[in-house]
Amino acid sequence: MGRIRKGANGGFSGKAGSVIGSNWRDIDYIRGLPKLSGKPATQRQLEQRAKFQTAVNFLQSAKSVLNLGFRTQKTGRATGYNIGLQKLLAEAITGVYPAFAIDYAKVTISAGGLGSAIGPAMLSAQPATLTITWAPSVNGLNAFVDDQAKILMYNEAKNQFILNDTEVLRSEGMYETELPAVYSGDQIHAWIFFTDRNNALTSNSIYVGSVMLS
């Protein structure tokens, strides 16, 4: 792959002879046309593709959360979503081909130096209502009163994520929300992490657990 140094006419996009011009993050590239292969995929290739598809199907609708959660871990041109996807593939895929699945307890959605949630727990005591609690402990080093709690909830049956849309402080120690009524009877998973007031620093995420929504 070659990088185009822009001249008076700039870069180009599309196919031109045996090369293709493309742009990624304001950088113009040229690459050769892919060589087609008539060889069938190996077992290892099939397994890797299936794992990748399982990971993408799970995480693709949570890109914005991962970009926030891993913002302090980004290197080069890797996005937070890229980092989250790589960690999921390395740590949280379970099962045997072709029946791969997600080990939710091993899913990581953020990483950083802020203090993580202590003793998080969840319950559903009222219809379609989810309550998540944690120890409201603060200190002068890495756990501050005005840290923002980010709570990511996942409906396993419907493959849908919901992020809390109201401000919740670390010092409050509790978050309660009413989920869509159609979620009643579904298994809900949740993760929690903190950011500082400017969303510049993050904590490691903690898997809270799962509960069947009342």
Side-chain angles (χ1 to χ4, degrees), residues 13-88:
S13 177
K15 180 181 175 184
S18 62
V19 298
I20 297 174
S22 59
N23 179 280
W24 184 71
R25 295 197 170 189
D26 297 325
I27 298 174
D28 293 305
Y29 289 95
I30 55 173
R31 58 186 174 85
L33 290 171
K35 294 181 180 180
L36 299 178
S37 173
K39 295 182 180 180
T42 65
Q43 181 67 21
R44 180 175 175 79
Q45 288 173 327
L46 291 172
E47 291 177 1
Q48 290 302 109
R49 291 173 188 174
K51 283 183 179 180
F52 185 80
Q53 193 60 55
T54 299
V56 169
N57 288 345
F58 173 64
L59 283 184
Q60 61 184 349
S61 61
K63 283 185 178 181
S64 61
V65 180
L66 296 174
N67 286 333
L68 172 63
F70 289 108
R71 65 182 306 159
T72 62
Q73 310 298 307
K74 293 187 293 185
T75 58
R77 295 190 176 89
T79 65
Y81 172 70
N82 296 148
I83 296 170
L85 186 61
Q86 291 168 5
K87 289 182 72 65
L88 182 70

Side-chain angles (χ1 to χ4, degrees), residues 8 15 37 46 54 57 107 116 123 136-137 154 163 171 202:
K15 180 181 175 184
S37 173
L46 291 172
T54 299
N57 288 345
V107 171
S116 300
L123 60 87
S137 302
Y154 175 68
L163 181 69
S171 55
T202 56

